[in-house]
Amino acid sequence: MGCFGFLKGMMFLFNGVIFLAGAAILGVGIWVKVDSGSILSLLGKIQNTPTELSQVLNVGYLLIAVGALLVIIGFLGCCGAVRESQCMLLLFFIIVLLVFIAEVAGAIVILVFRPLADQLFAQIGTAAVQSIRSDYGANADVTGLWNTTMTTLQCCGFYNASDFVGSPYYTNNRNQFPPQCCPGFSNPCNQMVAGNSTVSGCFPKIKLLIDSNTVAIVAVALGIAALEICAMAVSMILYCKIKSMKS
């Protein structure tokens, strides 16, 4: 009985955390859809954007769906354990199993269609450079977004400083680049100074960050998979135990 009570407590605690996390994600998703001044609305203003990028505008719906799913899973797990409901525990097991299968299928799809992702990133890069050269220094939203991105990531442009050549900022400031492209230099950020700078583009910086943390990302993914397997095992143990107690 002590082991049964321990499993019930762990089930309640674990799914309570899932419920709260789901509620937070659900709230963020709703906020993203309601906030008209978010970055998502800015992406829709970029000219010559690849059609695939328009799917990013639906990230709010994705967050809402994920949040709602986590809330449901957390609710079923908590209530199923506390109320010793076989129906809730079985439904919890089925949903987590479906999520696990979907994650495995998604991982396989990502590996198989990775070349298409590289092609999409190339199209996004072309659109980003065109946006910089047409709007940076003239459009306050685009300028502010890039300034924030470059300052936060300590990078310059999408690929490099040459992305700004021909932009309104470059033209209006006597062929100078943004100061983020020449950190540590007191001279104006011109072609020569930017060429001596070691700052990389934002896309290579993000790609390097992902590549350097591949092991951590894989470890987190495996950890989540292990937790899902444990959750399914515990729910099924409780289900069988409750069934035997009632029979």
Side-chain angles (χ1 to χ4, degrees), residues 4 7-8 11 15 75-96 231-232 234-243:
F4 178 71
L7 290 178
K8 282 180 59 178
M11 190 76 171
N15 286 282
F75 174 79
L76 290 174
C78 287
C79 291
V82 173
R83 296 175 60 87
E84 299 184 2
S85 171
Q86 290 179 269
C87 180
M88 287 185 174
L89 289 173
L90 183 60
L91 190 56
F92 171 86
F93 176 85
I94 293 174
I95 293 177
V96 175
M232 288 188 289
V234 171
S235 65
M236 191 50 56
I237 291 173
L238 291 177
Y239 174 86
C240 295
K241 182 65 176 179
I242 294 171
K243 184 178 180 180

Coordinates of all heavy atoms in Angstrom, one line a residue, residues 4 7-8 11 15 75-96 231-232 234-243:
F4 N 2.0 2.0 -3.5 CA 0.8 2.5 -4.2 C 0.6 4.0 -3.9 O 0.4 4.8 -4.8 CB -0.4 1.7 -3.9 CG -1.7 2.1 -4.5 CD1 -1.9 1.9 -5.9 CD2 -2.7 2.8 -3.8 CE1 -3.0 2.4 -6.5 CE2 -3.8 3.2 -4.4 CZ -4.0 3.0 -5.8
L7 N 3.3 6.1 -5.6 CA 3.1 6.2 -7.0 C 2.0 7.2 -7.3 O 2.1 8.1 -8.2 CB 2.8 4.9 -7.7 CG 3.9 3.9 -7.8 CD1 3.4 2.6 -8.4 CD2 5.0 4.4 -8.6
K8 N 1.0 7.2 -6.4 CA -0.1 8.2 -6.6 C 0.4 9.6 -6.3 O 0.1 10.5 -7.1 CB -1.2 7.9 -5.5 CG -2.2 6.7 -5.9 CD -3.2 6.5 -4.9 CE -4.1 7.8 -4.7 NZ -5.2 7.5 -3.7
M11 N 2.6 10.7 -9.2 CA 1.7 10.9 -10.4 C 1.0 12.3 -10.3 O 1.0 13.0 -11.2 CB 0.7 9.8 -10.5 CG -0.2 9.8 -11.8 SD 0.8 9.2 -13.1 CE -0.5 9.1 -14.4
N15 N 2.2 15.4 -12.8 CA 1.1 15.9 -13.7 C 0.7 17.3 -13.2 O 0.1 18.1 -14.1 CB -0.1 15.0 -13.7 CG 0.3 13.7 -14.6 OD1 0.3 13.8 -15.8 ND2 0.6 12.6 -13.9
F75 N -4.4 17.3 -16.1 CA -5.7 17.1 -15.4 C -6.1 15.7 -15.3 O -6.4 15.2 -14.2 CB -6.8 17.9 -16.2 CG -8.2 17.6 -15.6 CD1 -8.6 18.3 -14.5 CD2 -9.1 16.7 -16.2 CE1 -9.9 18.1 -13.9 CE2 -10.3 16.5 -15.7 CZ -10.7 17.2 -14.5
L76 N -5.9 14.9 -16.4 CA -6.3 13.5 -16.3 C -5.3 12.7 -15.4 O -5.8 11.9 -14.6 CB -6.2 12.9 -17.7 CG -7.2 13.3 -18.7 CD1 -6.9 12.7 -20.1 CD2 -8.6 12.8 -18.3
G77 N -4.0 13.1 -15.4 CA -3.1 12.4 -14.5 C -3.3 12.7 -13.1 O -3.3 11.8 -12.2
C78 N -3.6 14.0 -12.8 CA -3.8 14.4 -11.4 C -5.1 13.8 -10.8 O -5.1 13.1 -9.8 CB -3.9 15.9 -11.2 SG -2.3 16.7 -11.4
C79 N -6.2 14.0 -11.5 CA -7.5 13.5 -11.1 C -7.6 12.0 -11.1 O -8.2 11.4 -10.3 CB -8.6 14.1 -11.9 SG -8.8 15.9 -11.7
G80 N -6.9 11.4 -12.1 CA -7.0 10.0 -12.2 C -6.3 9.3 -11.1 O -6.7 8.3 -10.5
A81 N -5.2 9.9 -10.6 CA -4.4 9.3 -9.5 C -5.2 9.6 -8.1 O -5.3 8.7 -7.3 CB -3.0 9.9 -9.4
V82 N -5.7 10.8 -8.0 CA -6.3 11.2 -6.7 C -7.7 10.5 -6.5 O -8.0 9.9 -5.5 CB -6.5 12.7 -6.6 CG1 -7.4 13.1 -5.4 CG2 -5.2 13.4 -6.5
R83 N -8.4 10.4 -7.6 CA -9.8 9.8 -7.6 C -9.7 8.3 -7.8 O -10.8 7.7 -7.8 CB -10.7 10.5 -8.6 CG -11.0 12.0 -8.2 CD -11.8 12.6 -9.4 NE -13.1 12.0 -9.5 CZ -14.2 12.3 -8.8 NH1 -14.1 13.3 -7.9 NH2 -15.3 11.7 -9.0
E84 N -8.5 7.8 -8.2 CA -8.4 6.4 -8.5 C -9.3 6.0 -9.6 O -10.0 5.0 -9.5 CB -8.5 5.5 -7.3 CG -7.5 5.8 -6.2 CD -7.6 4.9 -5.0 OE1 -8.5 4.0 -5.0 OE2 -6.9 5.1 -4.0
S85 N -9.4 6.8 -10.6 CA -10.3 6.6 -11.8 C -9.6 5.8 -12.9 O -8.6 6.3 -13.4 CB -10.8 7.9 -12.3 OG -11.5 7.7 -13.5
Q86 N -10.1 4.6 -13.1 CA -9.5 3.8 -14.2 C -9.6 4.5 -15.6 O -8.8 4.4 -16.4 CB -10.1 2.4 -14.2 CG -9.8 1.6 -13.0 CD -10.5 0.2 -13.1 OE1 -11.6 0.0 -12.5 NE2 -9.8 -0.7 -13.7
C87 N -10.8 5.1 -15.8 CA -11.1 5.7 -17.0 C -10.1 6.8 -17.3 O -9.5 6.9 -18.4 CB -12.5 6.2 -17.0 SG -13.0 7.1 -18.6
M88 N -9.9 7.7 -16.3 CA -8.9 8.8 -16.5 C -7.5 8.3 -16.7 O -6.8 8.8 -17.6 CB -9.0 9.7 -15.3 CG -10.2 10.6 -15.2 SD -10.2 11.8 -13.9 CE -11.7 12.7 -14.2
L89 N -7.1 7.3 -16.0 CA -5.7 6.8 -16.1 C -5.5 6.1 -17.5 O -4.5 6.3 -18.1 CB -5.5 5.8 -15.0 CG -5.3 6.4 -13.6 CD1 -5.2 5.2 -12.5 CD2 -4.1 7.3 -13.5
L90 N -6.5 5.4 -17.9 CA -6.4 4.8 -19.2 C -6.4 5.8 -20.3 O -5.6 5.7 -21.3 CB -7.6 3.8 -19.4 CG -7.6 3.0 -20.8 CD1 -6.3 2.2 -20.8 CD2 -8.8 2.2 -20.9
L91 N -7.2 6.9 -20.2 CA -7.2 7.9 -21.2 C -5.9 8.7 -21.2 O -5.3 9.1 -22.2 CB -8.4 8.9 -20.9 CG -8.7 10.0 -22.0 CD1 -8.9 9.3 -23.3 CD2 -9.9 10.8 -21.5
F92 N -5.3 8.9 -20.0 CA -4.0 9.5 -19.8 C -3.0 8.7 -20.6 O -2.1 9.2 -21.3 CB -3.7 9.6 -18.3 CG -2.3 10.1 -18.1 CD1 -1.9 11.4 -18.0 CD2 -1.3 9.1 -17.8 CE1 -0.6 11.8 -17.8 CE2 0.0 9.5 -17.6 CZ 0.4 10.8 -17.5
F93 N -3.0 7.4 -20.4 CA -2.0 6.5 -21.0 C -2.1 6.6 -22.5 O -1.1 6.7 -23.2 CB -2.3 5.1 -20.5 CG -1.4 4.0 -21.2 CD1 -0.1 3.8 -20.7 CD2 -1.9 3.4 -22.3 CE1 0.7 2.8 -21.4 CE2 -1.0 2.4 -23.0 CZ 0.2 2.2 -22.5
I94 N -3.3 6.6 -23.0 CA -3.5 6.6 -24.5 C -3.0 7.9 -25.1 O -2.3 7.9 -26.1 CB -5.0 6.4 -24.8 CG1 -5.5 5.0 -24.4 CG2 -5.3 6.6 -26.3 CD1 -7.0 4.7 -24.6
I95 N -3.3 9.0 -24.4 CA -2.9 10.3 -25.0 C -1.4 10.5 -25.0 O -0.8 10.9 -25.9 CB -3.6 11.5 -24.2 CG1 -5.1 11.5 -24.4 CG2 -3.0 12.8 -24.6 CD1 -5.8 12.6 -23.6
V96 N -0.8 10.1 -23.8 CA 0.7 10.1 -23.8 C 1.3 9.2 -24.8 O 2.3 9.6 -25.4 CB 1.2 9.8 -22.3 CG1 2.7 9.7 -22.3 CG2 0.7 10.8 -21.3
A231 N 5.8 7.8 -17.2 CA 4.4 8.2 -16.9 C 3.4 7.2 -17.4 O 2.5 6.9 -16.7 CB 4.1 9.6 -17.6
M232 N 3.7 6.6 -18.6 CA 2.8 5.6 -19.1 C 2.9 4.3 -18.2 O 1.9 3.7 -17.9 CB 3.2 5.2 -20.5 CG 2.8 6.3 -21.6 SD 3.0 5.8 -23.3 CE 4.8 5.8 -23.4
V234 N 3.7 4.2 -15.0 CA 3.1 4.4 -13.7 C 1.6 4.4 -13.8 O 0.9 3.9 -12.9 CB 3.6 5.8 -13.1 CG1 2.8 6.1 -11.8 CG2 5.1 5.7 -12.7
S235 N 1.1 5.1 -14.8 CA -0.4 5.1 -15.0 C -0.9 3.7 -15.2 O -2.0 3.4 -14.7 CB -0.7 6.0 -16.2 OG -0.3 5.4 -17.4
M236 N -0.2 2.9 -15.9 CA -0.7 1.5 -16.2 C -0.6 0.7 -14.9 O -1.5 -0.1 -14.6 CB 0.1 0.9 -17.3 CG -0.5 -0.4 -17.8 SD -2.3 -0.4 -18.2 CE -2.4 1.0 -19.4
I237 N 0.4 0.9 -14.1 CA 0.5 0.2 -12.8 C -0.6 0.6 -11.9 O -1.3 -0.3 -11.2 CB 1.9 0.5 -12.1 CG1 3.0 -0.1 -12.9 CG2 1.9 0.0 -10.7 CD1 4.4 0.3 -12.4
L238 N -0.9 1.9 -11.8 CA -2.0 2.4 -11.0 C -3.3 1.8 -11.5 O -4.2 1.4 -10.7 CB -2.1 3.9 -11.0 CG -0.9 4.6 -10.2 CD1 -1.0 6.1 -10.4 CD2 -0.9 4.2 -8.7
Y239 N -3.5 1.8 -12.8 CA -4.7 1.3 -13.4 C -4.9 -0.2 -13.0 O -6.0 -0.6 -12.6 CB -4.6 1.4 -14.9 CG -5.8 0.8 -15.7 CD1 -6.9 1.5 -15.9 CD2 -5.7 -0.5 -16.2 CE1 -8.0 0.9 -16.6 CE2 -6.7 -1.1 -16.9 CZ -7.9 -0.4 -17.1 OH -8.9 -1.0 -17.8
C240 N -3.9 -1.0 -13.2 CA -4.0 -2.4 -12.8 C -4.2 -2.6 -11.3 O -5.0 -3.5 -10.9 CB -2.7 -3.2 -13.3 SG -2.5 -3.2 -15.1
K241 N -3.5 -1.8 -10.5 CA -3.7 -1.9 -9.1 C -5.1 -1.6 -8.6 O -5.7 -2.3 -7.8 CB -2.7 -1.0 -8.3 CG -2.7 -1.1 -6.8 CD -2.3 -2.5 -6.3 CE -2.2 -2.5 -4.8 NZ -1.8 -3.8 -4.3
I242 N -5.6 -0.5 -9.2 CA -7.0 -0.1 -8.8 C -8.0 -1.1 -9.3 O -9.0 -1.4 -8.6 CB -7.3 1.3 -9.5 CG1 -6.4 2.4 -8.8 CG2 -8.8 1.7 -9.3 CD1 -6.5 3.7 -9.5
K243 N -7.8 -1.7 -10.5 CA -8.6 -2.7 -11.0 C -8.7 -3.9 -10.1 O -9.7 -4.5 -9.8 CB -8.2 -3.1 -12.4 CG -9.1 -4.1 -13.1 CD -8.6 -4.4 -14.5 CE -9.6 -5.4 -15.2 NZ -9.1 -5.7 -16.6

